[in-house]
Amino acid sequence: MHSDSVVIIPTYNERENIENILLAVTGLEKSEHLPEGGFDVLVIDDGSPDGTARIVKRLMEERLKGRVHLIEREGKQGLGTAYIAGFRWALERDYEYIFEMDADFSHNPADLPRLRAACAEEGFDLSVGSRYIEGVNVVNWPLGRVLMSYCASMYVRLVTGFKVRDTTAGFVCYRRKVLETLELEKIRFKGYGFQIEMKFTAHKCGFKIKEVPVVFVNRELGVSKMSGGIFGEAMLGVLRLRWDGWFRKYPKIKL
């Protein structure tokens, strides 16, 4: 049975994690919130030299045929452009719920049904797997990185007036109509700021957002892709978002 939900996972050098994360997402045990047919997965690989895409292709041929899909791109083009490519791919098909998720198990696949339920059953348009809605739920992160992430979300709220507590979260479920409305070609940021811009734009368009509490666990395998440049883009970008919030005409929700 064809799923109504697809999980988009961008990758760059994730050979240590990719097979296990794909098996975990597609192998979730049946629950009251699990969609019929389970979750499909779309991997967006930016030319990983470690052979990540080869592993995905093998699984597509052997164990996960029809459940996992792959887009290969040349070189590192940025997180934001990977997700935009994935969103466009999903919108060309009949998926109703479209997810963002990391490949490194920092996001627990078992939380996917809860994110979906917030949209499919509770009537929200966008749900965010939030590290900060119930305290600080982060495991094995260096203190400096925890402070950087938490303070970044506080900074966004202070500058923009946006009430979401975990604006930089990368564990998200969108209803289809959100991505159809947002004018994806106008999303500017490619790194850390992409997550902020997507949520802020959805909010300005009038969509309802729910934060679902999750525990974020630092990766055990592979190397983090976070950099100071990505963080800097986000901090400067928030000022631009505040300016847009005053003067930009945001699209109306499509009925």
Side-chain angles (χ1 to χ4, degrees):
M1 180 179 293
H2 178 67
S3 176
D4 66 358
S5 303
V6 62
V7 181
I8 301 172
I9 302 180
T11 57
Y12 183 78
N13 286 349
E14 290 289 355
R15 68 179 180 184
E16 296 97 339
N17 295 301
I18 192 61
E19 180 167 355
N20 288 335
I21 196 70
L22 293 179
L23 292 174
V25 172
T26 57
L28 286 170
E29 294 184 3
K30 182 118 180 117
S31 71
E32 60 177 321
H33 301 307
L34 191 72
E36 291 292 330
F39 291 93
D40 288 348
V41 183
L42 172 64
V43 176
I44 314 286
D45 187 70
D46 272 6
S48 298
D50 72 347
T52 298
R54 289 197 299 272
I55 297 171
V56 176
K57 289 176 182 177
R58 172 173 58 79
L59 291 169
M60 290 169 61
E61 294 171 359
E62 296 176 358
R63 302 176 63 179
L64 300 176
K65 189 173 184 178
R67 299 292 308 283
V68 173
H69 310 273
L70 173 67
I71 294 176
E72 293 184 84
R73 308 196 304 170
E74 293 185 4
K76 295 179 69 174
Q77 300 181 41
L79 180 72
T81 65
Y83 275 127
I84 295 296
F87 295 157
R88 295 192 187 285
W89 182 94
L91 291 175
E92 290 172 358
R93 291 149 181 88
D94 57 352
Y95 292 106
E96 177 60 29
Y97 305 99
I98 301 162
F99 295 75
E100 298 177 359
M101 184 178 182
D102 290 347
D104 60 7
F105 283 94
S106 56
H107 304 141
N108 187 346
D111 289 327
L112 286 167
R114 293 198 299 126
L115 291 180
R116 182 182 180 278
C119 295
E121 300 169 24
E122 298 178 39
F124 290 90
D125 301 305
L126 189 161
S127 61
V128 179
S130 177
R131 298 162 290 186
Y132 307 131
I133 194 65
E134 295 183 350
V136 179
N137 292 317
V138 177
V139 177
N140 293 333
W141 250 11
L143 179 60
R145 188 167 176 186
V146 173
L147 290 173
M148 180 176 73
S149 175
Y150 186 76
C151 290
S153 286
M154 289 184 61
Y155 169 73
V156 173
R157 296 200 304 274
L158 178 65
V159 172
T160 66
F162 188 31
K163 302 304 181 184
V164 169
R165 298 190 66 85
D166 195 354
T167 53
T168 62
F171 197 19
V172 183
C173 173
Y174 297 93
R175 291 191 68 109
R176 179 185 186 90
K177 65 180 180 180
V178 177
L179 299 178
E180 288 177 332
T181 302
L182 255 54
E183 299 178 324
L184 296 175
E185 69 279 1
K186 294 184 180 180
I187 300 297
R188 295 183 297 267
F189 302 122
K190 296 182 179 180
Y192 212 49
F194 170 81
Q195 302 294 359
I196 302 170
E197 185 177 9
M198 287 291 293
K199 296 178 187 68
F200 181 77
T201 305
H203 163 71
K204 295 298 289 186
C205 289
F207 288 109
K208 296 185 296 180
I209 302 173
K210 178 174 182 177
E211 290 188 85
V212 177
V214 300
V215 176
F216 182 96
V217 180
N218 194 28
R219 67 163 64 232
E220 294 183 0
L221 300 173
V223 178
S224 173
K225 313 306 185 297
M226 183 61 66
S227 71
I230 290 174
F231 185 74
E233 177 204 57
M235 295 303 94
L236 293 174
V238 169
L239 298 175
R240 178 64 182 270
L241 290 179
R242 174 68 280 182
W243 179 267
D244 285 351
W246 286 328
F247 299 108
R248 177 182 167 185
K249 184 177 181 180
Y250 289 87
K252 297 182 182 296
I253 297 175
K254 298 177 181 179
L255 301 178

PDB file of all heavy atoms in Angstrom, residues 40-58:
ATOM      1  N   ASP A  40       7.598   6.253   3.750  1.00  0.00           N
ATOM      2  CA  ASP A  40       8.572   6.193   2.670  1.00  0.00           C
ATOM      3  C   ASP A  40       9.734   7.133   3.019  1.00  0.00           C
ATOM      4  O   ASP A  40       9.602   7.996   3.896  1.00  0.00           O
ATOM      5  CB  ASP A  40       7.942   6.615   1.341  1.00  0.00           C
ATOM      6  CG  ASP A  40       6.977   5.582   0.797  1.00  0.00           C
ATOM      7  OD1 ASP A  40       6.955   4.451   1.313  1.00  0.00           O
ATOM      8  OD2 ASP A  40       6.239   5.923  -0.144  1.00  0.00           O
ATOM      9  N   VAL A  41      10.855   6.972   2.319  1.00  0.00           N
ATOM     10  CA  VAL A  41      12.022   7.812   2.568  1.00  0.00           C
ATOM     11  C   VAL A  41      12.591   8.297   1.241  1.00  0.00           C
ATOM     12  O   VAL A  41      12.683   7.532   0.269  1.00  0.00           O
ATOM     13  CB  VAL A  41      13.123   7.044   3.336  1.00  0.00           C
ATOM     14  CG1 VAL A  41      14.299   7.979   3.641  1.00  0.00           C
ATOM     15  CG2 VAL A  41      12.583   6.450   4.634  1.00  0.00           C
ATOM     16  N   LEU A  42      12.975   9.560   1.217  1.00  0.00           N
ATOM     17  CA  LEU A  42      13.716  10.123   0.096  1.00  0.00           C
ATOM     18  C   LEU A  42      15.060  10.605   0.615  1.00  0.00           C
ATOM     19  O   LEU A  42      15.115  11.471   1.491  1.00  0.00           O
ATOM     20  CB  LEU A  42      12.961  11.302  -0.526  1.00  0.00           C
ATOM     21  CG  LEU A  42      13.733  12.102  -1.583  1.00  0.00           C
ATOM     22  CD1 LEU A  42      14.056  11.231  -2.799  1.00  0.00           C
ATOM     23  CD2 LEU A  42      12.971  13.362  -1.987  1.00  0.00           C
ATOM     24  N   VAL A  43      16.150  10.043   0.094  1.00  0.00           N
ATOM     25  CA  VAL A  43      17.503  10.462   0.447  1.00  0.00           C
ATOM     26  C   VAL A  43      17.987  11.451  -0.604  1.00  0.00           C
ATOM     27  O   VAL A  43      17.881  11.197  -1.802  1.00  0.00           O
ATOM     28  CB  VAL A  43      18.456   9.259   0.526  1.00  0.00           C
ATOM     29  CG1 VAL A  43      19.887   9.720   0.809  1.00  0.00           C
ATOM     30  CG2 VAL A  43      17.994   8.276   1.600  1.00  0.00           C
ATOM     31  N   ILE A  44      18.510  12.593  -0.141  1.00  0.00           N
ATOM     32  CA  ILE A  44      19.131  13.568  -1.039  1.00  0.00           C
ATOM     33  C   ILE A  44      20.624  13.536  -0.739  1.00  0.00           C
ATOM     34  O   ILE A  44      21.063  14.041   0.304  1.00  0.00           O
ATOM     35  CB  ILE A  44      18.599  15.001  -0.804  1.00  0.00           C
ATOM     36  CG1 ILE A  44      17.079  15.029  -0.686  1.00  0.00           C
ATOM     37  CG2 ILE A  44      19.107  15.928  -1.903  1.00  0.00           C
ATOM     38  CD1 ILE A  44      16.333  14.857  -1.962  1.00  0.00           C
ATOM     39  N   ASP A  45      21.406  12.944  -1.631  1.00  0.00           N
ATOM     40  CA  ASP A  45      22.845  12.817  -1.373  1.00  0.00           C
ATOM     41  C   ASP A  45      23.635  13.800  -2.224  1.00  0.00           C
ATOM     42  O   ASP A  45      23.503  13.832  -3.448  1.00  0.00           O
ATOM     43  CB  ASP A  45      23.321  11.391  -1.661  1.00  0.00           C
ATOM     44  CG  ASP A  45      24.767  11.203  -1.238  1.00  0.00           C
ATOM     45  OD1 ASP A  45      25.026  11.190  -0.023  1.00  0.00           O
ATOM     46  OD2 ASP A  45      25.635  11.110  -2.125  1.00  0.00           O
ATOM     47  N   ASP A  46      24.488  14.576  -1.553  1.00  0.00           N
ATOM     48  CA  ASP A  46      25.279  15.595  -2.242  1.00  0.00           C
ATOM     49  C   ASP A  46      26.671  15.066  -2.604  1.00  0.00           C
ATOM     50  O   ASP A  46      27.696  15.581  -2.153  1.00  0.00           O
ATOM     51  CB  ASP A  46      25.406  16.848  -1.371  1.00  0.00           C
ATOM     52  CG  ASP A  46      24.251  17.814  -1.577  1.00  0.00           C
ATOM     53  OD1 ASP A  46      23.307  17.461  -2.300  1.00  0.00           O
ATOM     54  OD2 ASP A  46      24.280  18.927  -1.015  1.00  0.00           O
ATOM     55  N   GLY A  47      26.696  14.038  -3.433  1.00  0.00           N
ATOM     56  CA  GLY A  47      27.953  13.529  -3.965  1.00  0.00           C
ATOM     57  C   GLY A  47      28.898  12.995  -2.904  1.00  0.00           C
ATOM     58  O   GLY A  47      30.113  13.228  -2.987  1.00  0.00           O
ATOM     59  N   SER A  48      28.375  12.281  -1.911  1.00  0.00           N
ATOM     60  CA  SER A  48      29.216  11.767  -0.823  1.00  0.00           C
ATOM     61  C   SER A  48      30.352  10.904  -1.361  1.00  0.00           C
ATOM     62  O   SER A  48      30.101   9.862  -1.974  1.00  0.00           O
ATOM     63  CB  SER A  48      28.377  10.930   0.143  1.00  0.00           C
ATOM     64  OG  SER A  48      27.376  11.695   0.759  1.00  0.00           O
ATOM     65  N   PRO A  49      31.610  11.286  -1.117  1.00  0.00           N
ATOM     66  CA  PRO A  49      32.728  10.461  -1.596  1.00  0.00           C
ATOM     67  C   PRO A  49      32.903   9.162  -0.829  1.00  0.00           C
ATOM     68  O   PRO A  49      33.647   8.282  -1.270  1.00  0.00           O
ATOM     69  CB  PRO A  49      33.947  11.375  -1.394  1.00  0.00           C
ATOM     70  CG  PRO A  49      33.538  12.350  -0.358  1.00  0.00           C
ATOM     71  CD  PRO A  49      32.066  12.557  -0.530  1.00  0.00           C
ATOM     72  N   ASP A  50      32.197   9.002   0.290  1.00  0.00           N
ATOM     73  CA  ASP A  50      32.346   7.773   1.083  1.00  0.00           C
ATOM     74  C   ASP A  50      31.430   6.644   0.623  1.00  0.00           C
ATOM     75  O   ASP A  50      31.409   5.568   1.209  1.00  0.00           O
ATOM     76  CB  ASP A  50      32.102   8.062   2.565  1.00  0.00           C
ATOM     77  CG  ASP A  50      30.639   8.338   2.889  1.00  0.00           C
ATOM     78  OD1 ASP A  50      29.846   8.556   1.947  1.00  0.00           O
ATOM     79  OD2 ASP A  50      30.294   8.328   4.088  1.00  0.00           O
ATOM     80  N   GLY A  51      30.642   6.871  -0.437  1.00  0.00           N
ATOM     81  CA  GLY A  51      29.794   5.803  -0.969  1.00  0.00           C
ATOM     82  C   GLY A  51      28.422   5.692  -0.337  1.00  0.00           C
ATOM     83  O   GLY A  51      27.756   4.667  -0.469  1.00  0.00           O
ATOM     84  N   THR A  52      27.962   6.747   0.324  1.00  0.00           N
ATOM     85  CA  THR A  52      26.623   6.723   0.924  1.00  0.00           C
ATOM     86  C   THR A  52      25.555   6.350  -0.104  1.00  0.00           C
ATOM     87  O   THR A  52      24.694   5.512   0.151  1.00  0.00           O
ATOM     88  CB  THR A  52      26.287   8.096   1.540  1.00  0.00           C
ATOM     89  OG1 THR A  52      27.206   8.394   2.589  1.00  0.00           O
ATOM     90  CG2 THR A  52      24.874   8.114   2.099  1.00  0.00           C
ATOM     91  N   ALA A  53      25.603   6.967  -1.284  1.00  0.00           N
ATOM     92  CA  ALA A  53      24.583   6.710  -2.310  1.00  0.00           C
ATOM     93  C   ALA A  53      24.605   5.257  -2.773  1.00  0.00           C
ATOM     94  O   ALA A  53      23.556   4.684  -3.080  1.00  0.00           O
ATOM     95  CB  ALA A  53      24.774   7.652  -3.493  1.00  0.00           C
ATOM     96  N   ARG A  54      25.780   4.640  -2.823  1.00  0.00           N
ATOM     97  CA  ARG A  54      25.863   3.233  -3.238  1.00  0.00           C
ATOM     98  C   ARG A  54      25.133   2.330  -2.255  1.00  0.00           C
ATOM     99  O   ARG A  54      24.470   1.356  -2.650  1.00  0.00           O
ATOM    100  CB  ARG A  54      27.327   2.804  -3.365  1.00  0.00           C
ATOM    101  CG  ARG A  54      28.049   3.408  -4.553  1.00  0.00           C
ATOM    102  CD  ARG A  54      29.336   2.651  -4.863  1.00  0.00           C
ATOM    103  NE  ARG A  54      30.275   2.688  -3.740  1.00  0.00           N
ATOM    104  CZ  ARG A  54      31.164   3.640  -3.544  1.00  0.00           C
ATOM    105  NH1 ARG A  54      31.235   4.670  -4.381  1.00  0.00           N
ATOM    106  NH2 ARG A  54      31.986   3.597  -2.512  1.00  0.00           N
ATOM    107  N   ILE A  55      25.237   2.649  -0.977  1.00  0.00           N
ATOM    108  CA  ILE A  55      24.531   1.866   0.039  1.00  0.00           C
ATOM    109  C   ILE A  55      23.027   2.010  -0.135  1.00  0.00           C
ATOM    110  O   ILE A  55      22.270   1.031  -0.052  1.00  0.00           O
ATOM    111  CB  ILE A  55      24.970   2.295   1.448  1.00  0.00           C
ATOM    112  CG1 ILE A  55      26.458   2.011   1.656  1.00  0.00           C
ATOM    113  CG2 ILE A  55      24.140   1.595   2.519  1.00  0.00           C
ATOM    114  CD1 ILE A  55      27.032   2.589   2.934  1.00  0.00           C
ATOM    115  N   VAL A  56      22.576   3.247  -0.385  1.00  0.00           N
ATOM    116  CA  VAL A  56      21.150   3.485  -0.592  1.00  0.00           C
ATOM    117  C   VAL A  56      20.650   2.706  -1.806  1.00  0.00           C
ATOM    118  O   VAL A  56      19.597   2.053  -1.753  1.00  0.00           O
ATOM    119  CB  VAL A  56      20.872   4.990  -0.771  1.00  0.00           C
ATOM    120  CG1 VAL A  56      19.395   5.232  -1.084  1.00  0.00           C
ATOM    121  CG2 VAL A  56      21.285   5.767   0.484  1.00  0.00           C
ATOM    122  N   LYS A  57      21.398   2.727  -2.885  1.00  0.00           N
ATOM    123  CA  LYS A  57      20.981   2.006  -4.099  1.00  0.00           C
ATOM    124  C   LYS A  57      20.882   0.507  -3.850  1.00  0.00           C
ATOM    125  O   LYS A  57      19.963  -0.157  -4.341  1.00  0.00           O
ATOM    126  CB  LYS A  57      21.970   2.289  -5.232  1.00  0.00           C
ATOM    127  CG  LYS A  57      21.901   3.706  -5.774  1.00  0.00           C
ATOM    128  CD  LYS A  57      22.978   3.926  -6.824  1.00  0.00           C
ATOM    129  CE  LYS A  57      22.973   5.336  -7.356  1.00  0.00           C
ATOM    130  NZ  LYS A  57      24.068   5.591  -8.318  1.00  0.00           N
ATOM    131  N   ARG A  58      21.818  -0.020  -3.096  1.00  0.00           N
ATOM    132  CA  ARG A  58      21.770  -1.462  -2.787  1.00  0.00           C
ATOM    133  C   ARG A  58      20.507  -1.804  -2.003  1.00  0.00           C
ATOM    134  O   ARG A  58      19.825  -2.798  -2.297  1.00  0.00           O
ATOM    135  CB  ARG A  58      23.013  -1.856  -1.993  1.00  0.00           C
ATOM    136  CG  ARG A  58      22.966  -3.298  -1.459  1.00  0.00           C
ATOM    137  CD  ARG A  58      24.268  -3.723  -0.821  1.00  0.00           C
ATOM    138  NE  ARG A  58      24.655  -2.860   0.280  1.00  0.00           N
ATOM    139  CZ  ARG A  58      24.138  -2.925   1.510  1.00  0.00           C
ATOM    140  NH1 ARG A  58      23.163  -3.793   1.777  1.00  0.00           N
ATOM    141  NH2 ARG A  58      24.566  -2.123   2.468  1.00  0.00           N
TER     142      ARG A  58
END
